[in-house]
Amino acid sequence: MAVVKSKKVTFAAGHLAAIFASLITLTPVYLVCVNALKSEAESAAMGPGLPSELHLENFVIVIEKGKLVTSFFNSVLYAGVSAALATLFAALAAFVLSRHRSRLNRAIYFFLIMGIALPINFFTLTKIMQLTHLINTKPGIIILYATLQIPFAIFLIYGFVESIPRELDDAATIDGCGPFQTFFRVIMPLLTPVLVTTFILSFLNTWNDFIMPLYYLNSSENWPMTLAVYNFFGQYKQSWNLVSADILLTIVPVLIVYLAGQRFILSGMTSGAVKG
Amino acid sequence: MARVELKNINKSFGTTQVVHDVNLAIEHGEFTVFVGPSGCGKSTLLRMIAGLEEVSSGKIEIGDADVTGERAADRGIAMVFQSYALYPHMTVADNMTFGLRVARRPKPEITEKLASAAKILRLEDLLARKPAQLSGGQRQRVAIGRAIVRDPKVFLFDEPLSNLDAELRVQMRVEIGQLHKVLGSTMIYVTHDQVEAMTMADRIVVLRGGRVEQVGKPLELYNDPVNAFVAGFIGSPRMNFLSGVVTDARQIKVAGTEFVAPVASGLVRGQTLQLGIRPEHLAASNGVKIEATVNVIEALGATAYLYTTTDSGEKIVAEWRGALPQIGNRVKLCFEPGAVRLFAEGGERIR
Ligand SMILES: Nc1ncnc2c1ncn2[C@@H]1O[C@H](COP(=O)(O)OP(=O)(O)O)[C@@H](O)[C@H]1O
Ligand SMILES: [Mg+2]
């Protein structure tokens, strides 16, 4: 009896915690939703009240004035290409590091995944971006994003590589594959679930980032969606209704990608990374 | 012609040497089995022949060409792995033709080779399936099919049957034997199972600790082992080893009896040695007698095995024909002196 009771109590407590956590995350979403539909004056306080009349035209204004179409494609370009690059290079690296566990390779692996935890030093990063002439360029921000995603991507994929029997590599070698063919024709197809996971997570991280373009892209032509909010939020004037509408439009693609890829994210995270 | 010759092969992983100066010549068309306890270097030796592992020193020749530095794919070998190592994302047909496709062979050749291998192995109906949809035995046949399609000079097998259940193992043993007859290729087969070695091999190579202990036909090893290790490893149930002491030039005292040993040269009085006698040689109706107490009886129908202990506490397994004794009974185990193999304390054979 006592066991059943205590189980029930934990269950209820868990539910309460989940509801509480949901409230915390949902509150800003709710605020953004209601304020996106208000007039500029009504939204000035960012209050929780419902709009007195619906201002759906906010979205049209935002898309036009904020050059949201351009920044949408910028975001797709940055997040898509950097996620693809990060996934590919991380997979190649994880394959080699996991298959040849020499002392040196272990050291390299730990050095690389330290990047998950260590903060970025913006001073040196800026120096390097200037030195390589990558600052304020699209390729520059793509390379930067790819690099930032690589540590976590390697961490995710590394454990998965181990779950692929080495005898497959041997069989491929006997069938005439060199290291690259072995990777692309045998290993990579078997890594598909974790590669999809890595791609999605990396895509979402980059899509949601606000800091890097703020520092390393000065031309608004190159801004991703997250920065477009600056068009409505300045020193002298804050249009909270437009800011809210912009934020909503920025979230939508993320939601679509997340919902479409949710299945892969869960399976990829649980079956591989845990073992790694 | 595809002889395989290993000359002074050594292999070290870091500072541990796992293969010691192996010299071996395998004739064309021979079915050779490498056998030895787990960890004795069988796989390492096979992988060096395959080109999956580099030799630390020495030379490997296949078909009179030195292949020591050659890529695995260019050595004219094919390998069947213990875990089958089929590519899970490819169909059976794609698995089997992968090597040919990597080598960019013409389509008609690929189709033809696939068809002929599939026919030999009765895989025609399975070609569109993925490995996950096959039984263990079918997977192993696909793995063998993948080897056949490569049309190799030498087939290499690394414990290919150890993942199968006992019944299927016997069946596949026969199939591989038949395949060897049909193809007539040189085959090297690695196993830790001496029964597989005895039943399949033209020649057996017994390995221990990275060294070749003895090479020979199955019955040569069985009847004429060069040392106690080979004698004990080959044969099931295992050969019994009893300790004896030389009481006179050829007189040996063992387990309470004395007999004249069948050795050519004289022994040193007082010398201790090991006396090897196989269970089936203890079923003789007369000869030298050892008294022992029965602990366990294993009746197999046609024969029975008695697990016994002598008065001096040594364990003896004996084959038994005739009426079965009771557990706890004392029995007389008889052997012909000629059936005994003598080994020095270090294990070397005394002839
Ligand atoms: N890649 C390796 N690195 C280090 N030691 C190894 C490696 N492969 C095999 N060994 C060692 O070499 C010895 C022989 O191994 P192996 O050839 O696999 O034995 P077997 O196949 O006879 O069981 C074992 O002691 C094993 O631990
Ligand atoms: Mg082995």
Side-chain angles (χ1 to χ4, degrees):
Chain A
M1 271 310 274
V3 178
V4 175
K5 208 169 189 180
S6 81
K7 254 191 185 168
K8 267 191 183 160
V9 171
T10 0
F11 192 65
H15 256 245
L16 269 180
I19 289 168
F20 186 66
S22 307
L23 276 181
I24 293 178
T25 39
L26 281 177
T27 309
V29 177
Y30 169 78
L31 285 179
V32 165
C33 282
V34 290
N35 283 290
L37 297 167
K38 291 178 183 172
S39 68
E40 186 170 333
E42 199 181 357
S43 70
M46 268 311 257
L50 291 174
S52 48
E53 50 179 351
L54 290 182
H55 289 272
L56 283 169
E57 75 280 3
N58 286 349
F59 291 101
V60 183
I61 299 172
V62 162
I63 290 172
E64 278 171 4
K65 267 181 53 187
K67 294 184 226 147
L68 272 202
V69 177
T70 315
S71 47
F72 170 78
F73 283 112
N74 282 339
S75 278
V76 170
L77 179 76
Y78 302 158
V81 176
S82 71
L85 288 178
T87 308
L88 175 67
F89 284 112
L92 282 163
F95 173 54
V96 174
L97 293 177
S98 169
R99 282 302 198 238
H100 306 281
R101 300 207 176 179
S102 61
R103 198 167 289 194
L104 175 68
N105 281 349
R106 264 170 211 273
I108 292 176
Y109 174 68
F110 284 113
F111 174 74
L112 285 171
I113 62 169
M114 255 191 329
I116 298 173
L118 295 188
I120 297 166
N121 183 322
F122 283 98
F123 175 73
T124 43
L125 181 57
T126 308
K127 273 271 174 269
I128 286 179
M129 295 292 280
Q130 284 168 342
L131 213 69
T132 49
H133 297 285
L134 287 172
I135 199 159
N136 296 327
T137 64
K138 284 182 175 173
I141 199 84
I142 290 173
I143 292 174
L144 176 56
Y145 273 134
T147 315
L148 291 175
Q149 298 304 323
I150 277 178
F152 186 62
I154 288 181
F155 174 70
L156 268 186
I157 301 168
Y158 189 81
F160 255 84
V161 173
E162 189 61 7
S163 71
I164 299 176
R166 280 163 202 247
E167 286 193 342
L168 285 185
D169 303 31
D170 293 337
T173 304
I174 285 178
D175 273 335
C177 293
F180 278 95
Q181 272 183 317
T182 301
F183 178 77
F184 284 107
R185 300 183 74 161
V186 176
I187 304 298
M188 206 158 107
L190 298 175
L191 287 175
T192 309
V194 73
L195 295 187
V196 173
T197 307
T198 310
F199 180 87
I200 292 173
L201 290 177
S202 159
F203 184 95
L204 295 181
N205 276 342
T206 300
W207 187 283
N208 292 333
D209 181 63
F210 178 79
I211 303 288
M212 295 300 150
L214 192 61
Y215 285 179
Y216 301 115
L217 289 177
N218 54 9
S219 149
S220 69
E221 281 299 300
N222 289 342
W223 280 0
M225 282 187 93
T226 41
L227 269 201
V229 77
Y230 266 103
N231 290 310
F232 319 105
F233 181 91
Q235 216 170 343
Y236 308 107
K237 185 169 149 43
Q238 284 111 32
S239 316
W240 284 111
N241 58 336
L242 299 184
V243 168
S244 300
D246 177 276
I247 290 175
L248 269 189
L249 288 174
T250 310
I251 294 176
V252 170
V254 174
L255 271 184
I256 293 173
V257 171
Y258 178 77
L259 290 178
Q262 196 187 23
R263 201 161 44 91
F264 292 105
I265 296 180
L266 284 180
S267 68
M269 295 276 272
T270 48
S271 47
V274 180
K275 268 186 277 170
Chain B
M1 281 296 284
R3 294 179 81 238
V4 176
E5 191 154 355
L6 308 182
K7 292 179 176 165
N8 305 102
I9 298 293
N10 285 285
K11 176 70 186 179
S12 305
F13 290 109
T15 53
T16 6
Q17 188 164 358
V18 298
V19 171
H20 302 263
D21 196 38
V22 168
N23 287 283
L24 206 57
I26 293 163
E27 295 306 324
H28 172 72
E30 207 171 49
F31 196 109
T32 302
V33 174
F34 293 174
V35 70
S38 159
C40 70
K42 309 178 292 288
S43 296
T44 306
L45 202 53
L46 197 73
R47 292 168 57 82
M48 286 192 287
I49 299 173
L52 294 172
E53 205 77 73
E54 282 180 16
V55 301
S56 298
S57 70
K59 204 163 127 186
I60 299 173
E61 291 176 6
I62 295 178
D64 296 325
D66 183 351
V67 299
T68 318
E70 230 36 284
R71 291 192 327 144
D74 300 333
R75 292 189 177 196
I77 54 98
M79 189 155 168
V80 176
F81 298 89
Q82 176 172 355
S83 68
Y84 323 129
L86 299 178
Y87 310 118
H89 57 299
M90 297 184 198
T91 61
V92 167
D94 286 347
N95 260 287
M96 287 167 66
T97 57
F98 185 64
L100 298 177
R101 287 183 289 125
V102 170
R104 299 185 186 284
R105 306 300 306 165
K107 268 252 168 63
E109 179 190 331
I110 295 179
T111 323
E112 184 200 322
K113 286 194 166 162
L114 173 64
S116 99
K119 183 148 178 272
I120 296 177
L121 293 163
R122 289 170 283 114
L123 288 170
E124 288 109 325
D125 298 334
L126 305 176
L127 290 178
R129 292 210 199 159
K130 291 271 177 69
Q133 301 163 307
L134 302 176
S135 70
Q138 288 170 332
R139 282 179 209 181
Q140 196 49 275
R141 292 222 305 277
V142 174
I144 294 171
R146 181 169 64 183
I148 293 177
V149 165
R150 292 181 55 75
D151 206 1
K153 290 185 256 183
V154 183
F155 283 83
L156 307 174
F157 297 88
D158 192 355
E159 311 220 8
L161 306 186
S162 41
N163 282 354
L164 302 177
D165 59 49
E167 198 180 329
L168 206 51
R169 202 146 61 208
V170 174
Q171 188 187 326
M172 285 302 293
R173 216 150 76 190
V174 175
E175 278 198 37
I176 292 176
Q178 284 169 343
L179 190 70
H180 177 240
K181 287 211 179 63
V182 172
L183 299 176
S185 324
T186 312
M187 294 189 175
I188 305 178
Y189 186 105
V190 162
T191 179
H192 65 269
D193 178 352
Q194 60 89 22
V195 177
E196 255 173 44
M198 291 297 282
T199 51
M200 298 177 79
D202 293 328
R203 259 192 339 150
I204 296 178
V205 178
V206 181
L207 292 160
R208 175 172 60 158
R211 291 188 171 81
V212 174
E213 295 285 310
Q214 190 171 3
V215 182
K217 296 200 171 77
L219 287 182
E220 280 171 18
L221 300 194
Y222 187 81
N223 292 323
D224 199 9
V226 297
N227 58 34
F229 173 77
V230 175
F233 194 78
I234 302 287
S236 169
R238 225 171 154 260
M239 182 182 263
N240 297 293
F241 290 100
L242 305 172
S243 54
V245 59
V246 180
T247 52
D248 201 359
R250 286 187 179 148
Q251 189 87 3
I252 294 175
K253 184 167 180 229
V254 64
T257 56
E258 289 200 23
F259 73 104
V260 178
V263 286
S265 54
L267 299 161
V268 186
R269 186 190 297 245
Q271 180 187 357
T272 56
L273 38 69
Q274 294 181 73
L275 184 139
I277 177 98
R278 296 198 182 277
E280 67 268 31
H281 293 144
L282 286 165
S285 45
N286 49 39
V288 189
K289 290 185 179 58
I290 297 177
E291 290 209 13
T293 313
V294 179
N295 303 321
V296 174
I297 301 172
E298 242 179 41
L300 301 177
T303 61
Y305 290 106
L306 305 185
Y307 292 75
T308 66
T309 314
T310 64
D311 294 342
S312 50
E314 288 178 298
K315 305 262 182 230
I316 300 181
V317 181
E319 194 177 318
W320 188 262
R321 303 183 193 117
L324 287 179
Q326 300 280 310
I327 289 179
N329 280 6
R330 287 179 69 78
V331 288
K332 286 196 173 68
L333 306 172
C334 297
F335 63 89
E336 302 284 349
V340 165
R341 302 286 174 267
L342 294 178
F343 304 96
E345 279 300 316
E348 317 86 68
R349 175 86 178 271
I350 303 170
R351 289 169 192 277

